Amino acid sequence: MQLYIQQKIFSWGDRFSIYDEDGQEQYSVEGEIFTLGRKLHLYDRRNIEVAYIEQQLFAFLPRYVIYRDETAVAEVLKEFMFFHPEYTVEGPGWHVQGDFFDHDYSVTDAGGHNVATVQKEWFTLGDAYCIDIAPDADPITALAVVLVIDACMDAQRN
């Protein structure tokens, strides 16, 4: 399954639209403003919340928890590395590595099988990414992980 994330420019806070291969909006993301730490809400096309992402404060390195139906399903941790960042996704047991500055990275499971690959779309207004999600992977959790990494990279840029 391929999805495309497009950042909405000229908006307050984090706002994204997520489209399928046919250009139909499947999900939207809205970030809360004026909060301590980042808080993102992922909605389906019927505007029902399917995931909630919350940054954990008072952590040495970035740490985010992904909730579905008010239950924590994953925790994304940035690993301490000197030359290039890596992320661990506790819960599903995923690992994320690649070139995060160019938004070209992959998410793999514990067996090394590809869960998702992310590539930046160039020459667009605002940030845009193409996400190729494996057929047997959970697309909502995979999307949430990509949103966490985008939040980490945005915090690092600012």
Side-chain angles (χ1 to χ4, degrees), residues 32-144:
E32 294 181 21
I33 54 176
F34 307 119
T35 63
L36 292 175
R38 284 222 166 120
K39 295 177 179 156
L40 302 171
H41 301 270
L42 178 61
Y43 299 100
D44 67 9
R45 64 178 147 188
R46 296 175 312 225
N47 207 30
I48 297 171
E49 185 177 82
V50 293
Y52 169 67
I53 303 165
E54 182 176 35
Q55 181 181 9
Q56 299 298 293
L57 299 176
F58 311 113
F60 177 66
L61 293 171
R63 177 183 295 252
Y64 290 78
V65 178
I66 300 169
Y67 296 92
R68 297 193 53 194
D69 296 324
E70 299 181 15
T71 302
V73 296
E75 188 169 359
V76 182
L77 311 162
K78 183 175 181 181
E79 300 294 330
F80 182 74
M81 305 296 256
F82 283 108
F83 299 109
H84 62 281
E86 291 185 14
Y87 296 84
T88 299
V89 184
E90 295 178 353
W94 296 347
H95 186 74
V96 186
Q97 63 184 33
D99 186 351
F100 299 103
F101 295 105
D102 283 337
H103 296 283
D104 186 14
Y105 56 90
S106 61
V107 181
T108 55
D109 64 14
H113 301 99
N114 205 22
V115 173
T117 56
V118 178
Q119 295 179 330
K120 183 173 180 82
E121 295 285 309
W122 298 97
F123 309 112
T124 61
L125 291 174
D127 288 336
Y129 313 101
C130 174
I131 305 167
D132 193 9
I133 301 172
D136 57 340
D138 174 18
I140 294 171
T141 303
L143 277 173

